[in-house]
């Protein structure tokens, strides 16, 4: 990775931007203060809400941080399929004594307005999810001194990221929790490759620095992706359980609760593939959910909020990566320290094995 970018954070640890109120300023500040790169998630927020988060974060730390944006989505959903799914979810709304949301209440997530705020009030790093920003957008960020990172789930997508002029590609493996950052919501074209294989493929496809994301919970795994060719690792679920995280307590507890034994990619909550802990809602509705983002997200939002308010984890979107059972309830800054120590230990172990590669192994 370019020295200018790596100089922003001493340790190769990036805290993933988790939308929906998880990646709050206190979490990003704690990670950045500890030597990682903290991130705010602007997804599902208003432009003013994003600005207020940035203002609050700057009051908590002088260290560099990033902000994540969702790209506007094309109109590809079948309205009839959304209506059918809404009919199926009517019982959920009645059970939680709420109404279903309006599936047509917006699909661009305020992208242009948020981008304008970030150009007027530059931050060190901006990352993008669900697509590739235009070359003009990337150039405009560069002019105000902001680095641009873009998520990719295939080598083909990584090539598109490189063509945009971005500074690095966030290579997201299928193990990752939350939404897959595929550029197009096509089940046949992405989001199905494991992280180590994907890092190797992207390393050979582009010359961009790689930030590896997907299921990473330990320093040894960070060492593995660095050895595979990444410059840094992005961790989400690992930070979700920290006290600074804005995740609901039920969500944090579910990560290691034996009631939730596995994760699954599902469209049940948002209409786009996202990895979550398997609960009742996912089991009952996942197979019927249409490819319709953000329509389904808007539709189910009141139900998910009502379930959280009543303390029912079985109706919530419990986003989590495949390594969720390895979550540690440590303060975020301490977690960065532990991960860094584990990374150092893994590096020492790898150095000890170097003799075998040169024929100098144990006799």
């Amino acid at each position: 990775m370019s020295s200018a970018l790596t100089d922003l954070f001493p340790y190769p640890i990036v805290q993933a931007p988790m939308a929906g109120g998880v990646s709050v300023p206190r979490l990003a500040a704690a990670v950045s203060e500890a030597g990682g790169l903290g991130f705010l998630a602007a997804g599902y927020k208003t432009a003013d809400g994003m600005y207020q988060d940035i203002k609050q974060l700057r009051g908590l730390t002088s260290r560099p941080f990033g902000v994540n944006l969702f790209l506007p989505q094309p109109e590809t959903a079948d309205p009839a399929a959304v209506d059918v799914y809404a009919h199926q979810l009517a019982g959920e709304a009645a059970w939680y004594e709420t109404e279903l949301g309006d599936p047509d209440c917006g699909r661009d997530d305020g992208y242009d307005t948020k981008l304008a705020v970030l150009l007027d009030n530059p931050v060190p790093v901006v990352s993008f999810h669900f697509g590739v920003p235009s070359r003009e957008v990337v150039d405009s960020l560069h002019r105000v001194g902001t680095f641009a990172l873009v998520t990719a789930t295939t080598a083909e997508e990584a090539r598109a990221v490189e063509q945009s002029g971005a500074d690095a590609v966030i290579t997201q493996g299928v193990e990752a929790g939350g939404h897959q950052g595929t550029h197009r919501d096509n089940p046949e074209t992405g989001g199905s490759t494991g992280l180590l294989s994907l890092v190797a493929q992207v390393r050979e496809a582009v010359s961009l620095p790689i930030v590896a994301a997907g299921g990473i919970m330990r320093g040894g795994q960070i060492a593995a992706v660095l050895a595979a060719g990444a410059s840094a690792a992005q961790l989400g679920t690992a930070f979700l359980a920290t006290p600074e995280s804005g995740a609901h307590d039920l969500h944090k507890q579910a990560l290691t609760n034996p009631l939730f034994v596995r994760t699954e990619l599902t469209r049940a909550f948002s209409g786009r593939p996202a990895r979550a802990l398997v609960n009742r809602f996912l089991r009952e509705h996942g197979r019927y959910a249409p490819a319709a983002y953000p329509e389904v997200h808007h539709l189910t939002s009141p139900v998910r909020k009502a379930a959280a308010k009543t303390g029912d984890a079985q109706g919530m979107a419990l986003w989590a990566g495949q390594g969720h059972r390895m979550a540690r309830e440590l303060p975020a800054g301490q977690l960065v320290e532990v991960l860094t120590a584990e990374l150092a230990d893994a590096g020492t172990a790898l150095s000890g094995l170097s003799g075998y590669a040169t024929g100098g192994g144990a006799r």
Side-chain angles (χ1 to χ4, degrees), residues 43-98:
Y44 309 136
K45 285 184 171 289
T46 63
D48 183 63
M50 178 193 73
Y51 174 74
Q52 294 302 323
D53 276 357
I54 294 171
K55 186 177 179 180
Q56 182 181 347
L57 177 54
R58 282 179 167 146
L60 295 172
T61 182
S62 60
R63 297 287 306 159
F65 62 90
V67 175
N68 176 256
L69 297 180
F70 287 170
L71 271 293
Q73 298 300 288
E75 296 185 23
T76 58
D78 178 359
V82 176
D83 288 343
V84 170
Y85 194 52
H87 180 74
Q88 178 176 332
L89 295 178
E92 296 283 352
W95 175 258
Y96 291 112
E97 298 181 344
T98 188

Side-chain angles (χ1 to χ4, degrees), residues 127-343:
S127 68
F128 297 86
H129 211 55
F130 297 151
V132 183
S134 67
R135 169 72 76 156
E136 290 180 351
V137 166
V138 174
D139 288 346
S140 67
L141 289 170
H142 287 164
R143 283 194 293 271
V144 297
T146 298
F147 291 101
L149 281 61
V150 185
T151 301
T153 63
T154 65
E156 179 184 5
E157 290 181 348
R159 293 188 188 97
V161 172
E162 187 172 48
Q163 291 171 3
S164 75
D167 299 283
V169 56
I170 301 170
T171 301
Q172 185 192 41
V174 72
E175 304 94 334
H179 284 95
Q180 292 286 299
T182 51
H183 296 179
R184 295 178 299 277
D185 185 8
N186 184 343
E188 300 176 355
T189 61
S192 61
T193 305
L195 181 59
L196 284 176
S197 294
L198 185 59
V199 168
Q201 293 172 26
V202 171
R203 179 73 285 148
E204 294 190 3
V206 302
S207 59
L208 284 178
I210 293 171
V211 177
I216 300 174
M217 303 293 287
R218 296 288 188 266
Q221 292 171 288
I222 298 175
V225 296
L226 296 182
S231 297
Q234 179 171 282
L235 293 75
T237 305
F239 286 104
L240 195 152
T242 64
E244 294 90 347
S245 158
H248 194 287
D249 286 344
L250 288 175
H251 193 169
K252 295 181 181 183
Q253 295 162 10
L255 296 175
T256 53
N257 188 329
L259 287 175
F260 303 101
V261 298
R262 64 186 180 88
T263 62
E264 187 176 299
L265 285 173
T266 183
R267 298 180 186 273
F269 302 103
S270 71
R272 223 180 192 278
R275 184 170 297 282
L277 296 171
V278 176
N279 61 3
R280 178 195 58 78
F281 192 103
L282 192 158
R283 286 193 300 269
E284 293 183 1
H285 303 294
R287 73 187 69 180
Y288 306 110
Y293 178 86
E295 288 85 354
V296 171
H297 163 76
H298 295 315
L299 192 68
T300 66
S301 180
V303 172
R304 292 181 275 123
K305 290 177 181 177
K309 187 175 181 179
T310 59
D312 184 6
Q314 296 296 337
M316 298 167 58
L318 303 173
W319 307 130
Q322 287 184 341
H324 64 96
R325 298 303 291 271
M326 301 169 72
R328 297 179 280 203
E329 297 179 11
L330 298 174
Q334 184 180 347
L335 179 56
V336 173
E337 294 174 1
V338 171
L339 289 167
T340 303
E342 292 173 344
L343 173 59

